[in-house]
Amino acid sequence: SVVVGTEKRSLVAIDPATFDQVAHTNPGFLTGATPRAAMDALAADPNAVLIDQEIARTFNIQIGDPVKVQIPSRLTGRPVPFTFRAVAAFTKFPGFPPGVDFVANLSTYQTVSGSTAPDVYVLATDGLDPTNAVVAASIQAGAGRTTPLLIETSATAVNKEQSTLSALNVSGLGRLEIVYTLLMATLGITIFVVGLLLQ
């Protein structure tokens, strides 16, 4: 997170030289530059930043404008003021979930924040739950004994996602709607017939 004005916004730091090898940037995702030009600008200028189109509209930031942010420092624990320069705007950024507001150069972020090591490591296995459990246990028993680690396997990630979703029985809801419709129709016909008989 970075602070822009008084609001917290999300910043993603990438290595522009190698980003194309892991994600394809659709030209339609960017305005003001092609994907190659945007990556070249990030690589050439340490102050360059890509900015979300909605954020640019909210804060009235044009291409070329300075963007003043505060980046949290890992060394002091206090935010460090830093000025980026907007080189392009994007509507979506590949490889990351929605909600990314800024994309900056990784080396610049590491220099300003004092963070030289990645926060997240991704390890590929054969994908089977028993293998994942064994690998997670070995990491926890090794590096996890001296360094606090949060290890999340694909099984725990899926369980976490499923716990936040509402499970709906669509066919059951459809049957309930049919029963409700039949009851309403029956009630309407009954009232009509009784009204005729009374008349």
Side-chain angles (χ1 to χ4, degrees):
S1 294
V2 294
V3 177
V4 182
T6 58
E7 297 184 25
K8 275 192 175 181
R9 297 292 176 175
S10 63
L11 178 134
V12 167
I14 64 169
D15 178 10
T18 59
F19 185 74
D20 288 341
Q21 297 172 14
V22 294
H24 172 70
T25 306
N26 189 317
F29 291 173
L30 292 166
T31 57
T34 63
R36 186 67 264 152
M39 292 300 119
D40 289 344
L42 283 180
D45 182 2
N47 291 20
V49 71
L50 309 179
I51 184 169
D52 177 69
Q53 204 169 27
E54 290 298 319
I55 300 300
R57 193 175 297 122
T58 301
F59 290 100
N60 196 23
I61 298 171
Q62 306 295 323
I63 303 303
D65 285 355
V67 182
K68 295 184 179 184
V69 302
Q70 295 183 52
I71 300 174
S73 171
R74 295 288 179 87
L75 302 175
T76 63
R78 288 186 292 248
V80 178
F82 190 80
T83 302
F84 285 112
R85 185 178 64 83
V87 294
F90 62 88
T91 53
K92 297 177 185 174
F93 200 75
F96 297 96
V100 172
D101 299 316
F102 300 101
V103 178
N105 190 312
L106 178 61
S107 60
T108 300
Y109 173 77
Q110 289 176 334
T111 302
V112 175
S113 69
S115 172
T116 56
D119 293 318
V120 177
Y121 294 88
V122 180
L123 179 64
T125 66
D126 61 7
L128 299 175
D129 287 342
T131 307
N132 293 344
V134 169
V135 171
S138 64
I139 293 172
Q140 196 69 53
R145 288 181 301 177
T146 56
T147 305
L149 297 175
L150 171 63
I151 300 173
E152 190 172 86
T153 65
S154 54
T156 56
V158 167
N159 288 338
K160 190 185 296 183
E161 289 297 321
Q162 286 179 343
S163 67
T164 61
L165 299 173
S166 298
L168 296 176
N169 184 346
V170 178
S171 62
L173 288 175
R175 285 194 295 271
L176 185 62
E177 185 179 1
I178 291 171
V179 170
Y180 178 75
T181 303
L182 289 174
L183 287 174
M184 290 301 293
T186 304
L187 181 63
I189 292 170
T190 304
I191 291 173
F192 179 72
V193 171
V194 169
L196 286 177
L197 289 175
L198 288 176
Q199 190 176 14

